[in-house]
Amino acid sequence: MNKILIVANWKCNPPTLRQARQLFGSVKKGLSNSKNKKVEVVICPPFPFILNIKSEILNLKLGAQNCFWEKRGAFTGEVSPQMLKDLGCQYVILGHSERRRYFGETDEQINKKVKAALSANLKPILCMGENQEQRSQGKTKELLEEQLISALKLDLKLKTKILNLAVAYEPLWAIGTGRACPPKEVQSVNLLLRKILSRKFGAEKAEKIRILYGGSVNSKNAVPYIKEAGSQGLLIGGASLKAKEFLAVIRKLNR
Ligand code: PGA
């Protein structure tokens, strides 16, 4: 049985290394002092902090928020999956809506990143979701299908690594707005994504790929996504920047 995957997406926070160390230290301490049997926690800090935070405890892993698709070369400003792996990252968030929106990442580029991450034995957390307009027009499912299928165009060799993948459903209108998506809606998206994954990789494998929910998750609303909507994890932005709040989510999921 896979553990529940709780991913902290720190985004472009906190502003200093001292604060990053403090935040990570508090999470690490909180986790070492508690019984954390059911949850695998991944912290995704900004690139410059990755090397400075180390986890020696089980169930607390490191991830990055993005990566490039080439291994190395003349690509100013980019960071390769191999570099992240070398620094001890196990996971990488890919296709986050903020990357798509502010940096123009396309489905095609996200597909290249997913392939590069899988090849480097990093575990991609592939994000997707609809915006408010697409939602009002009833286009959510069509869009998710498109995003999922294009990101997962893989050759046979990479298909064998598909269990390293996690998919995160993050409706854009729910991110950072305090308007979390109702668990009932997340449940129906989970069923759809699982169906598409089954069609692509077979039911047995699809069952083992974790599907996460993200968008204004906090300690008060987290549990129903796991217990009712059938998500196998959560991607947490704002609430992951407060150690107490983040630890409260994990504590509730361990009950
Ligand atoms: P939020 O962000 O929890 O602040 O809504 C989630 C995300 O963007 O991953």
Side-chain angles (χ1 to χ4, degrees):
M1 192 49 190
N2 254 335
K3 294 204 160 146
I4 301 167
L5 187 61
I6 302 298
V7 183
N9 179 8
W10 287 3
K11 308 192 180 184
C12 193
N13 299 294
T16 65
L17 175 60
R18 190 180 58 80
Q19 287 164 293
R21 277 196 171 129
Q22 223 164 43
L23 175 57
F24 187 75
S26 308
V27 171
K28 193 158 93 172
K29 192 163 159 219
L31 285 177
S32 346
N33 293 342
S34 66
K35 271 201 216 118
N36 178 29
K37 292 220 168 93
K38 296 190 189 156
V39 181
E40 178 180 1
V41 182
V42 182
I43 306 287
C44 301
F47 287 137
F49 301 151
I50 288 175
L51 193 57
N52 290 282
I53 56 182
K54 286 257 173 312
S55 160
E56 300 84 17
I57 59 174
L58 205 69
N59 289 340
L60 178 61
K61 317 246 164 87
L62 265 182
Q65 300 169 17
N66 180 28
C67 72
F68 189 46
W69 55 77
E70 295 288 346
K71 281 194 186 99
R72 55 185 297 244
F75 305 104
T76 302
E78 291 297 337
V79 173
S80 78
Q82 285 73 14
M83 293 169 187
L84 295 174
K85 186 82 190 165
D86 191 49
L87 294 186
C89 285
Q90 295 188 34
Y91 287 86
V92 62
I93 297 172
L94 293 176
H96 190 280
S97 62
E98 286 149 18
R99 300 284 329 158
R100 297 181 193 248
R101 186 160 147 214
Y102 301 124
F103 304 98
E105 281 191 14
T106 63
D107 283 337
E108 197 189 341
Q109 290 173 333
I110 292 160
N111 172 244
K112 284 189 187 176
K113 293 183 177 201
V114 168
K115 290 193 279 195
L118 286 172
S119 303
N121 292 320
L122 275 179
K123 299 178 176 184
I125 300 160
L126 169 65
C127 301
M128 58 192 57
E130 81 288 1
N131 63 27
Q132 182 59 58
E133 196 187 335
Q134 291 157 332
R135 175 176 155 90
S136 329
Q137 293 170 347
K139 289 190 177 150
T140 301
K141 296 203 162 168
E142 186 188 321
L143 182 95
L144 291 174
E145 176 150 14
E146 211 175 280
Q147 288 182 336
L148 186 60
I149 288 179
S150 55
L152 295 181
K153 283 187 188 141
L154 304 173
D155 62 22
L156 277 178
K157 193 164 159 236
L158 289 181
K159 278 189 182 166
T160 63
K161 298 187 178 191
I162 200 62
L163 297 187
N164 283 337
L165 177 84
V167 176
Y169 171 52
E170 293 209 306
L172 274 61
W173 49 270
I175 295 179
T177 58
R179 270 175 66 211
C181 185
K184 268 258 160 291
E185 284 182 41
V186 173
Q187 183 177 33
S188 97
V189 166
N190 286 342
L191 291 174
L192 170 82
L193 297 178
R194 184 85 57 212
K195 207 161 82 189
I196 303 169
L197 291 170
S198 265
R199 216 163 57 209
K200 266 190 94 61
F201 306 108
E204 203 181 317
K205 280 194 173 155
E207 272 307 305
K208 294 184 186 143
I209 298 174
R210 286 177 288 194
I211 302 178
L212 280 50
Y213 167 73
S216 296
V217 173
N218 57 43
S219 64
K220 292 194 181 70
N221 64 16
V223 173
Y225 292 110
I226 308 296
K227 303 251 157 100
E228 290 162 30
S231 305
Q232 286 93 25
L234 300 165
L235 183 45
I236 307 181
S240 74
L241 295 172
K242 295 173 230 135
K244 232 170 129 182
E245 177 65 9
F246 186 62
L247 288 165
V249 173
I250 297 164
R251 198 167 46 245
K252 289 199 173 168
L253 295 175
N254 268 302
R255 278 191 195 143

